Every structure is written in C-alpha cells, then in structure tokens.
C-alpha cells in the first residue's frame, strides 16, 4: 500500500493545469446557449404557444395538449441542432443526487423507416421505475410504477457528454402511482405557491395593490474541497464514505489563514474556469470563485434566482463539477467534513422575497412607509424561525452535517438568529414604542413620525456585520441560512422556510385585521402586532460567539433546543404541530412526512454503518498490519544492538516506540471488535428509532477513539511504510 501511496503522490505532483478554451470574449455571447430559454422559445414557438408556456411559468396555468405538442416539436428541433440524440426527464429523487433515464429521439415507423420522434405526451410525462428509489414505505417493491412530469418553470437544457454526444434534459417532478411526492422539487413548488399567496395578500392589503406575485429567491453559495484523483483513489475511506476517517493534522493546516481569498492554485483555477463556462452555457449565473479558509477548499457563488430554479441549478452544478473535475484528474468533495481539524463545508442559502414590481421585501429603505413594509417581513421571518426552529434544524440534519455542526468553523446545532447591532437597536426601539392605544392621531398627523418609524435609517449592506458562527443571519437585504450542509439539496430547507414564513404571514394578517376591525388605524395595528412578535421572539436573537460553551449554557437558560444528533433532530418531523402545519397548506401529506422521516433515518443509519465498516477494514487490514511490520523491524533493530553489546540506554527510546505500537495496535484491535459487536447489535434491532439511536451513540462513539490510536501511529510508523496518503499530501493542490 505504501508503494501505491507514493505512486499516487508522484502522479499528483506531476500533473499540470489543463488549458481551457474560452468560447468567446464575452460571457453574454454564450450565456444560456444550452438552455431552452425565453429567447429560444420566442424564436421557435407560435405566439399562442409562447403565451401559454409563459402563463404556465408565471401563473401556474396548465398547458393544453396542442401547446405541449408544439413545444415538444420546437424542443426536439432545437435539441437536434445542438447535437442531442436522446432526451430525459431530469429529476431529483430522495437519494440526494439527480436521476435520469435516457430515451432516443430515434424511432421506427410501421414500414420500418427511421425517424426522429418526440411528442407532447413524452415531454409532459415519463414512467421510470419508482420501486428502487427511496420511498419510506409509500410503495412496495412489486409496485414499480412512478411518474415524472415536466416542470415548465425550469428551462430544459442540453447536457454535453464527454463522448461528444448530448442529451436534452427536461426538469421534472417525481411522484408515485398514487400521487405522493418522491422527490425534493414537488413540495418546493407547493411551498413557493404558498409563500406567494401569503406575501402577496399582505402586500395588497397593507402596502401596495400593484403587486401581483411574490417570489422566494435563493442564492446558494457552494463550498467544496478539491483533491487529486490519484490520491483520492488511494484513500478507500474517501472512495466509500466521502470523508477521511483517519489522518493526523499536518504541521501546517489553516492556522496561518493564508489560503483564504489567496491566489487560486493554477490547477484549481483551470478547473473553475472550465466548469464555470459549462455552467454559464446552462444558464447558471455563477459569478464568484475564491479560496475558502481550509487548504484545498474553495467556493462558487451564483447570483440569486427564483428558489425552485436556484435549487435545480445547484443540483445541476454539483453534477457538472464532478464531470469536469474528472477531466482535470481531480475529485470534488462535497462532504460536510472530509478532513478533521480544518474547516468543513456548507451551502449557505441566501433567502429573500421579491415582488413582480421589483421590490426586495427584505431590503430596508430611507422612506418610512417602505421601512414599515420591510419591518413587517423582517419581523415575521424572525417569528417564524423562532416558532419552528426545531423544524429548521431537522431540515439540515444529516450524517455528514452532524460531523460539521458545532465544530469550530460551522454554526452550532442550536438555531439562533443574528441581525447585527443596528437592527437590534431598531427592534428594541420598536418594542419600546408607546402602547398604540395611547397614541392619539389628529387630522393631518404623520403616523410614521408619531410611531418613530421615520428614525429608522436606510440600512446599507455594510451596516450589518456577518457573524460566521450564526446558523441564520440577516446580512443587509436577505437572510443567510448558513447551517445547510454542502452536499444537501437546498430544496428541503427552502421548502420548510417558505412554509413557516407563509404560515406566519397568514397569522399576521389575521391579528392585524382584528385590530383594524376595532377601529385602529392600519399602520398602528401593524406596529402593535410587530411589537408583540419582537417580545415573543427575543430569545432566539443572539449576537455573540456561537462557538462558545457560554452560549450553550445561555441557550439552555433561554429555552432553546440543542439537538446535537441527527436522529433527535429528525424526530421533529413527526411532531403533531409540524404535521398539522404541512397538512393545513397541502405541502406534504401525513404519509409523505412519515416517509421522509423514515428515508432520512435509514440514510443516516446506512452512512454511519458504511463509515464503521470502512474504519474497521482500514484499521485492521491496513494500519495494524503496517504498524506491526514496522514494529518487527524495530524489534530486530533492538535485538541486533543488544547482540553487539550496545548500552541499553541507547536503544531504550526504540523500545518505548515498540511499546507504544503494541499499546495502540492492541487498543485498535479491541475497539474495532467492540464496534463490530455494537454494529451487529444495532442491525438486529427492528425498531428504526432504536436502531438509529444505537448507531448514533454506541457505534459512532468508537469512531474518535479508534481514530486517535491510528493518528498516533501515523506519527510513529516510518513515513515510507505508511499506506494512506497523508493530509499534507491530500490538501496540496498546485
């Protein structure tokens, strides 16, 4: 294995950056060129069909069969001109990855003649096998039928393959034969419609009747690590679990913080340029690239988009990055914590609400009336997160994120909100306003002046600091959900955020209308309700260091949950209040909620099970065997020194090393045996909750103990003999 390691290292060090050809000088010349976008539709569709599809996108109206046939014909013509030979419904099952089944445009007529064929029925619906995808008990194995259905709000695109061919990909939802959602997209679309309805009604009733639609927007900042392909292949733990289960911290890690925003290494830069070109051709507005804090860690960030499209683009981006990395002889690591002792990776979800009149509802203003509108959506979001903090925590609970949350670079498992000193002062002023009943307005009085709303300054982006320790932070004109894991599909946390904020806005309207019906002026009624929300939600606002132990104690005294394990967090999906919430608005059925809970729990168990097996295999078959061979060399050395009469004091240090190897290998052997027995015990438990608990505690508890012993041996055993690429080698990208 040591030979394999050094061959891999030699190969990695010999690699040079690949030259990447820029299509044209201007991005605008090729941006969206591989998407069936508005420009393509205008040029290929009749005005009637174009109107129908835009109405479907903007208003959710159904597309009739005639229009679907015309769109299919136009899409086929466009795809063939781009070199596509097949088409597929591109969907996002509950596996955490994307899925596709390719069908050829090619068909045979009744007379045996070849022809290109693609009808509206094939565009609108396909029937992949649903039995082999996670369904949480919704479908039996023998009940295989499931359906994918075209989502016209997300543009079809051409995926160019490495073999020189291309495929037309049609973004789609995925449902069971009986109609239950088996994907991430379906509930996200429902939650998008819900937040539109709730926010538009608030706008129409209290602020502007011109608003016809409110859209949840998302900008997903994607963090990731890059490692050389040869070194990746020489690490069985990376291959099978996505993270290094062993590895001692190098002498120089991230302590100098010299990697952050530093000069991007040439190979990494070539990879970035390459995947960005392909992303831009697919209409993904990637704009930012930079080194992250940890060595070999980077980030790509897009311009914000409508949330459904943004989630599609992020899932597609991850697929694309993997494909392009292979071309550059590298691997992308999306695991939340692939390396111990240095920063893990998140997917920071920047969420806001935008109107069809061009207003960001979370953007403060210098105008008092507009600031009352801003405060309405700002405070209601805080109240929603306060009321459903545990549900938000559940939305980002995974085995990978469990390794990351609470570490010294990621938000803690405690959900809190950071709003900055300026907004804290604003909310304090709002809370301390006089009782609305005490404010007597005379004819001609400026209500905003009397309320003190005119004293709220226009908040520029720089007025709000960025607290890296906060899981949910206001950053000037949006909220940043920082706790989302880097490998996650953003649709789940965004579905939940949309739903809880919509629910809160509906409640807000009801409470404001009660005051108005009693004769209270509209603005006074709004402020009175917001004051109450500020008082009720104060305990979730936190401006300090989320990493500190003091915050853990303070959060407990405030009554905030600290759901450290994934099973504990996921259990919140089954709370009656949560199920009632989703049932009320039709985002999930009760069956779907239970199914998703079971899928996530099973996924957690399987991930920990795989890691446990990898740890056992590497520890016994690679680390122990290598260490004992090296120990034999040392024993022979001591024996030889003794035979020729060397004073024992001179080989005493070597004897101590031999003893340490015996101690650590013995511990490893015993711990692996105990872990294996704990895994067998867990596997024999039928109850899902108890099995997950056993994996979360009994099995996982052995991981760090075994790692400690292995990492100590890494420092003892001759570097020439160590079988696994070390951190100093893995984290070096030229």
């Amino acid at each position: 294995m040591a030979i394999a390691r050094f061959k891999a290292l030699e190969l990695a060090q010999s690699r040079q950056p690949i030259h990447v050809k820029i299509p044209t000088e201007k991005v605008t010349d090729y941006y969206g060129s591989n998407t069936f976008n508005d420009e393509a539709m205008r040029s290929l569709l009749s005005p009637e069909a174009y109107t129908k599809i835009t109405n479907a996108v903007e208003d959710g109206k159904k597309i009739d069969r005639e229009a679907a046939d015309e769109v299919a014909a136009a899409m086929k013509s466009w795809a063939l001109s781009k070199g596509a030979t097949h088409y597929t419904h591109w969907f996002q099952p509950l596996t955490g990855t994307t899925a596709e089944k390719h069908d050829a445009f090619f068909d045979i007529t009744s007379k045996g003649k070849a022809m290109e064929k693609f009808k509206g029925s094939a565009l609108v619906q396909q029937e992949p096998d649903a039995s082999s995808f996670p369904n949480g008990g919704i479908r039996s194995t023998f009940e295989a039928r499931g359906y994918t259905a075209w989502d016209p709000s997300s543009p079809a695109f051409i995926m160019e393959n490495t073999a020189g061919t291309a495929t037309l990909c049609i973004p789609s939802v995925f449902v069971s034969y009986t109609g239950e959602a088996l994907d991430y997209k379906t509930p996200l679309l429902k939650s998008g419609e819900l937040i539109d309805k709730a926010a538009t009604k608030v706008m129409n009733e209290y602020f502007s009747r011109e608003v016809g639609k409110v859209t949840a927007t998302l900008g997903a900042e994607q963090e990731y690590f890059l490692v050389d392909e040869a070194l990746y292949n020489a690490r069985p733990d990376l291959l099978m679990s996505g993270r290094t289960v062993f590895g001692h911290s190098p002498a120089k890690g991230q302590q100098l913080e010299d990697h952050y925003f530093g000069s991007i290494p040439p190979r990494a830069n070539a990879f970035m340029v390459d995947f960005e070109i392909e992303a831009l051709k697919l209409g993904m507005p990637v704009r930012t690239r930079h080194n992250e804090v940890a060595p070999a860690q980077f980030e790509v960030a897009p311009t914000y988009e409508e949330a459904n499209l943004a989630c599609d683009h992020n899932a597609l981006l991850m697929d694309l990055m993997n494909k392009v990395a292979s071309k550059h002889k590298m691997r992308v690591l999306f695991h939340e914590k692939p390396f111990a002792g240095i920063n893990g990776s998140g997917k920071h979800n920047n969420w806001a609400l935008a109107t069809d009149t061009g207003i960001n509802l979370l953007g403060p203003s210098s105008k008092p009336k507009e600031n009352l509108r801003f405060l309405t959506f700002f405070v209601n979001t805080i109240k929603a997160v306060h009321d459903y903090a545990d549900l938000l925590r559940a939305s980002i609970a995974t085995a990978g994120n469990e390794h990351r949350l609470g570490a010294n670079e990621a938000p803690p498992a405690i959900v809190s909100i950071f709003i900055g000193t300026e907004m804290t002062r604003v909310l304090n002023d709002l809370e301390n306003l006089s009782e609305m009943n005490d404010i007597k307005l005379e004819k001609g009085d400026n209500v905003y002046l009397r309320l003190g709303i005119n004293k709220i300054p226009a908040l520029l982006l720089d007025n709000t600091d960025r607290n890296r320790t906060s899981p949910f932070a206001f950053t000037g004109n949006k909220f940043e959900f920082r706790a989302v894991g880097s490998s996650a599909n953003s649709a789940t946390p965004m579905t939940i955020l949309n739903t809880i904020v919509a629910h809160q806005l509906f409640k807000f309207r009801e409470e404001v209308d009660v005051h108005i019906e009693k004769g209270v002026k509209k603005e006074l009624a709004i402020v009175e309700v917001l004051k109450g929300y500020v008082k009720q939600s104060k305990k979730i606002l936190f401006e300090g260091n989320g990493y500190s132990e003091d915050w853990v104690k303070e959060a407990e005294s405030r009554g905030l949950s600290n759901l450290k394990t994934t099973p504990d967090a996921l259990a919140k999906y089954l709370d009656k209040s949560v199920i009632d919430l989703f049932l009320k608005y039709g985002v999930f059925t009760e069956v779907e909620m239970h199914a998703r809970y079971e899928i996530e729990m099973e996924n957690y168990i399987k991930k920990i099970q795989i890691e446990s097996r990898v740890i056992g295999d590497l520890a016994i078959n690679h680390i122990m065997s290598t260490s004992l061979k090296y120990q034999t060399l040392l024993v022979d050395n001591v024996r030889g020194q003794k035979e020729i009469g060397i004073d024992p004091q001179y080989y005493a240090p070597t004897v101590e090393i031999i003893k340490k190897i015996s101690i650590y290998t013995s511990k490893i052997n015993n711990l692996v045996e105990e872990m294996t027995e704990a895994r067998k015990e867990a596997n024999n438990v039928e109850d899902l909750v108890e099995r997950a608990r056993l994996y979360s505690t009994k099995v996982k508890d052995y991981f760090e103990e075994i790692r400690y012993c292995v990492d100590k041996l890494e420092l003892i055993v001759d570097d020439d003999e160590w079988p696994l690429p070390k951190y100093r080698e893995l984290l070096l990208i030229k």
Side-chain angles (χ1 to χ4, degrees), residues 18 388 448 500:
I18 293 176
Y388 289 97
Y448 300 105
I500 63 176

Side-chain angles (χ1 to χ4, degrees), residues 65-109:
R65 179 60 181 270
E66 184 179 345
D69 283 336
E70 184 177 340
V71 172
M75 206 179 277
K76 180 189 73 174
S77 174
W78 172 79
L80 291 173
S81 73
K82 295 283 185 179
T85 58
H86 290 67
Y87 66 91
T88 180
H89 274 202
W90 180 84
F91 59 103
Q92 299 165 50
L94 299 173
T95 56
T97 58
T98 59
E100 50 200 65
K101 180 189 76 169
H102 295 195
D103 286 309
F105 286 119
F106 166 78
D107 203 351
I108 299 293
T109 67

Side-chain angles (χ1 to χ4, degrees), residues 453-473:
I453 300 290
N454 65 317
K455 297 178 183 177
I456 298 175
L459 295 176
L460 301 176
L461 205 60
D462 291 342
N463 289 119
T464 305
D465 197 4
R466 289 170 63 85
N467 187 329
R468 293 178 61 84
T469 74
S470 175
F472 199 88

Side-chain angles (χ1 to χ4, degrees), residues 368-369 372 433 436 439 441-442 444-454 521-525 527:
K369 184 176 181 180
L372 183 58
L433 283 176
M436 297 300 103
I439 297 177
L441 293 175
E442 303 295 336
D445 275 355
N446 185 323
V447 64
Y448 300 105
L449 182 64
R450 295 294 303 276
L451 289 172
I453 300 290
N454 65 317
K521 189 173 175 61
K522 178 180 70 177
E523 291 82 1
L524 298 181
V527 171

